[in-house]
Amino acid sequence: MNTEQDAELARRVEVHAALADPTRLRVVDLLGAGDAASSELSARLGTPSNLLAHHLKILEAAGVIRRRRSEGDGRRSYWRLVPDVVAPAADPGAVAVPHLRTPARLVFVCTANTARSHLAAALWRQASRVPADSAGTHPAERIDRRAVAAARRHHLDLPDVRPQRVEDLAPALTEDDLVVTVCDRAHEELGDAAQLHWSVPDPVAAGGAAAFDRAHDEIAGRVRVLAGGLR
């Protein structure tokens, strides 16, 4: 066995060892559909913060999860699964949102409702029959033209509509809707009203077509996972 094979075997052993604990496996299941801060994981699991920190450290060291600093509250970080390291739960939607197994509608929310939330809704409509809408906590005047261009590059039907406030959605939000925040600031504003969070970097702040393509690709991967669990 050569050195490269030895290293790969050692990596697999570390990953499997990290998953050989009920709490750590539940963390992986919860992060299968969306990202979460340590405090959110602690509340969902009923695990004390100091014990949870120990488990998160093991998962991070094994390369199973990683964290990203919030673009809103810089004191907070969001944990996410590293893609393609472990398979998520067979039904990630049921694990993450058991009370909303089949929502009446998905509502994707960001701050300005100019890019990420519109891309997410367009991708969702392409992947699922469950209706989707988008909104912002502080909507701008119009959709960012670079988001529209990115949608065209990826053959997405993105209607050129005026951004809207979450409070102005028609019909209004109900407990049958599933709210997914795709912006850290919006997530921190909405709190428990958002059942899932995807910590997607802001392509508007980054600028350039590549940033919008990266946002599209990240959201598309998350949509595939969630749509597979909610069908």
Side-chain angles (χ1 to χ4, degrees), residues 53-139:
H54 164 74
H55 289 302
L56 294 174
K57 184 177 180 180
I58 290 173
L59 289 169
E60 184 179 28
V64 175
I65 62 173
R66 63 170 177 248
R67 55 183 152 183
R68 178 176 176 272
R69 184 72 65 184
S70 169
E71 291 181 345
D73 183 349
R75 299 165 297 177
R76 172 181 284 216
S77 293
Y78 291 102
W79 294 98
R80 61 172 62 189
L81 284 185
V82 175
D84 304 321
V85 174
V86 295
D91 196 344
V95 170
V97 282
H99 58 298
L100 285 174
R101 179 64 187 85
T102 306
R105 171 181 59 167
L106 269 80
V107 178
F108 295 96
V109 181
C110 63
T111 303
N113 191 212
T114 59
R116 288 167 287 184
S117 51
H118 281 288
L119 289 171
L123 282 160
W124 182 266
R125 287 190 287 265
Q126 194 177 68
S128 173
R129 293 181 180 179
V130 177
D133 209 335
S134 72
T137 53
H138 302 282

Side-chain angles (χ1 to χ4, degrees), residues 28 35 51-52 91 128 132 146 148 159 195 213 221:
V28 170
D35 307 331
L51 179 57
L52 179 64
D91 196 344
S128 173
R146 292 165 294 181
V148 175
Q195 295 93 330
D213 287 339

Side-chain angles (χ1 to χ4, degrees), residues 141-198:
E141 289 298 313
R142 59 184 299 182
I143 299 175
D144 194 290
R145 298 298 94 188
R146 292 165 294 181
V148 175
R152 280 200 210 98
R153 286 195 297 276
H154 295 280
H155 310 292
L156 273 180
D157 181 14
L158 197 160
D160 190 4
V161 296
R162 186 183 178 89
Q164 61 180 334
R165 284 163 41 96
V166 176
E167 295 85 351
D168 296 336
L169 279 171
L173 281 175
T174 73
E175 61 182 13
D176 294 324
D177 294 321
L178 173 57
V179 177
V180 182
T181 47
V182 292
C183 159
D184 296 336
R185 291 182 178 87
H187 182 67
E188 287 150 17
E189 276 194 70
L190 293 183
D192 292 340
Q195 295 93 330
L196 286 180
H197 178 49
W198 297 345

Side-chain angles (χ1 to χ4, degrees), residues 204-224:
V204 175
F212 283 84
D213 287 339
R214 286 193 296 270
H216 166 276
D217 292 348
E218 179 168 346
I219 295 169
R222 291 169 180 262
V223 162
R224 280 194 297 272

